[in-house]
Amino acid sequence: MNSKTFLRIACGLMVFHLVGHLVGHFTWKDTDDSVLRDVIQKMDTHHFDFMGTSQTLGGHHEGYSVMLGLTLIVMIIITWIASLQITNNSAVKSMVLIIGVFFLGYGVVEAIYFFPLPAATSILAGIFMIVGGMKRN
């Protein structure tokens, strides 16, 4: 396989991750667990002062989730563009390697704070990007 193929596979993995993330983003409050429902209700209604504004933990959770979704969209676009330009372009290869390492780090954070599926998806995307960035074709 050539570099372009490796990067396109990484894009596919990131799209899969994005779709899963969006499902989680829009359904995280759906639960039959009465204790969890109470916690979520408190997260959304209890305000506290933070950095000069009134916030809720639910709002923070939502905001970070939106930021992650936007980050994934931008990384998918950048990776797709890089797949079109990577052949014998050392600057693009360097950028792809950096983004690949970024996704390895993403995967580690996801393994620690979330669950195995997004972690594995990010780590695999990072590996495919690193391999694609290191290929000579």
Side-chain angles (χ1 to χ4, degrees):
M1 287 192 291
N2 60 22
S3 296
K4 181 178 183 176
T5 303
F6 278 98
L7 296 186
R8 297 284 172 91
I9 292 169
C11 281
L13 288 164
M14 288 185 281
V15 167
F16 174 75
H17 190 184
L18 176 63
V19 169
H21 175 76
L22 289 173
V23 169
H25 174 82
F26 289 110
T27 63
W28 76 275
K29 295 179 185 180
D30 300 342
T31 182
D32 293 329
D33 184 327
S34 62
V35 174
L36 182 55
R37 195 175 20 238
D38 289 343
V39 169
I40 291 169
Q41 188 269 334
K42 285 182 173 75
M43 286 175 65
D44 279 342
T45 58
H46 180 73
H47 285 76
F48 60 95
D49 290 332
F50 183 75
M51 303 291 286
T53 187
S54 179
Q55 299 285 333
T56 66
L57 286 177
H60 271 271
H61 184 74
E62 292 275 338
Y64 279 116
S65 182
V66 169
M67 288 179 4
L68 171 62
L70 292 173
T71 300
L72 287 170
I73 290 168
V74 168
M75 289 300 183
I76 292 164
I77 293 168
I78 289 171
T79 302
W80 193 269
I81 292 169
S83 76
L84 299 171
Q85 304 292 323
I86 196 160
T87 306
N88 298 321
N89 188 328
S90 62
V92 172
K93 287 184 180 206
S94 295
M95 180 185 69
V96 165
L97 290 171
I98 291 166
I99 296 172
V101 170
F102 167 81
F103 270 101
L104 290 179
Y106 234 65
V108 170
V109 170
E110 289 168 329
I112 294 168
Y113 292 102
F114 298 105
F115 54 100
L117 185 58
T121 304
S122 292
I123 289 169
L124 282 173
I127 290 169
F128 274 95
M129 291 185 79
I130 290 168
V131 171
M134 292 174 59
K135 290 193 71 69
R136 297 201 179 273
N137 58 335

